[in-house]
Amino acid sequence: MAITVRNGVACCLVLARRGFAEVTAERLELSLEPGRATIGAERCCLPIAPGEWLVLEQWRADGGLRMQLEGDAAGLAYVSDQSHGRQVIRVAGPAARDLLGRGCRLDLHPRKCRPGFCAATSIAEYACALVQVDAVPSFDLVVAAGYAESFWLWLTDHAAMFGYRAAIETVDRP
Amino acid sequence: MHRIRCPFCGARDETEFAYRGDATKRRPPDDADEDAFFDYVYRRANPKDWHVEWWHHTGGCRRLVKVVRHTVTHEVHWTGWPDQPPSLPDGAP
């Protein structure tokens, strides 16, 4: 199992104005179905509340994703850049479900939890947005940056019994 | 332990929610007298029966959920959004 600190990810919160959730979803190609993320080659969008989405994308420039989303959803939604406020950690490997199952109260069995499955939930009391990105299975976990270190310690503590490889993804920031 | 069905997230564990009290209380008009506000802020029924109440889905979508729960059996009969009229079981007061 690989547990990776994903530093090269830009993260934005999109909040549709009241009554504009459908049109925002259509404009930005977001999913309106709770628990179902849209995963593209570059971008991953999680519906985390009614009219509210978390958008993850490969980091390119500071504020780049926010400006792009603001332009695309002008007049429909508010966008707030969370790239420095959240931390994405990826857990990948056959034992990933067992590891998350030690702190997550959701049903992560493959019959319910397939690629694209997402949820805003608590894992071991850490507020966390979770998305399954592929069939390995790999999960991206988005936590508040201030809790990331503590959450990392929880993850690696509980992953010890399965065996894991820790990695830190680096990104060149100008 | 309760399982509460959030209208957005689906059935979730009670630990994700924060209890926020009686959902039937309505704020009196601004010019109402002190008694009306005392009532609104402090007086609560303590029924041994069905209870309409707020639960905040703190650990999930962070929305308020209206819940009809039995205070003795803890059975959750209905959940919905704040603007929805609650559905009470037959025979409930």
Side-chain angles (χ1 to χ4, degrees):
Chain A
M1 182 162 48
I3 308 179
T4 312
V5 176
R6 297 193 64 203
N7 285 327
V9 183
C11 173
C12 277
L13 199 63
V14 176
L15 278 154
R17 290 172 61 193
R18 192 180 292 266
F20 286 83
E22 279 84 5
V23 55
T24 302
E26 199 184 319
R27 183 79 62 85
L28 297 180
E29 294 174 17
L30 306 166
S31 158
L32 279 166
E33 189 187 337
R36 184 95 343 236
T38 42
I39 301 177
E42 296 232 311
R43 192 180 280 186
C44 175
C45 307
L46 291 64
I48 55 169
E52 202 176 317
W53 295 268
L54 204 57
V55 179
L56 308 174
E57 199 182 80
Q58 194 62 40
W59 188 89
R60 279 191 289 262
D62 234 3
L65 176 61
R66 173 181 57 79
M67 285 188 277
Q68 191 188 345
L69 291 170
E70 272 177 352
D72 292 346
L76 303 174
Y78 305 97
V79 181
S80 89
D81 197 331
Q82 298 290 322
S83 305
H84 296 271
R86 310 280 178 110
Q87 178 66 55
V88 184
I89 298 176
R90 177 167 290 187
V91 177
R97 292 180 207 276
D98 295 326
L99 167 60
L100 296 179
R102 296 178 72 84
C104 175
R105 292 164 202 269
L106 300 179
D107 185 0
L108 297 177
H109 190 278
R111 82 177 158 249
K112 287 287 280 287
C113 175
R114 289 188 283 266
F117 174 87
C118 75
T121 185
S122 317
I123 297 183
E125 311 305 328
Y126 298 92
C128 177
L130 166 154
V131 57
Q132 185 180 341
V133 290
D134 60 32
V136 170
S138 306
F139 292 90
D140 270 350
L141 311 169
V142 189
V143 291
Y147 282 111
E149 188 178 351
S150 171
F151 184 56
W152 170 267
L153 292 174
W154 181 88
L155 275 175
T156 48
D157 248 15
H158 286 262
M161 64 182 287
F162 304 109
Y164 71 94
R165 181 170 48 82
I168 298 178
E169 184 184 283
T170 51
V171 60
D172 293 327
R173 293 184 194 238
Chain B
M1 185 64 74
H2 301 125
R3 294 274 287 168
I4 298 172
R5 182 166 291 280
C6 167
F8 184 81
C9 304
R12 292 291 179 92
D13 201 278
E14 173 198 347
T15 51
E16 289 191 7
F17 293 84
Y19 182 67
R20 297 294 292 273
D22 193 338
T24 60
K25 289 285 176 186
R26 289 284 167 274
R27 187 187 160 88
D30 287 351
D31 55 358
D33 60 9
E34 211 173 294
D35 278 354
F37 271 96
F38 184 83
D39 232 49
Y40 168 65
V41 176
Y42 295 112
R43 282 216 184 98
R44 293 291 180 269
N46 185 20
K48 202 174 165 182
D49 209 332
W50 292 102
H51 193 227
V52 184
E53 51 199 15
W54 297 120
W55 287 80
H56 187 252
H57 196 186
T58 315
C61 62
R62 298 179 184 177
R63 295 295 188 274
L64 270 176
V65 180
K66 200 185 269 182
V67 175
V68 176
R69 177 183 67 100
H70 200 285
T71 58
V72 178
T73 63
H74 295 309
E75 182 192 342
V76 174
H77 173 73
W78 178 89
T79 58
W81 292 121
D83 56 355
Q84 290 179 310
S87 145
L88 290 161
D90 294 338

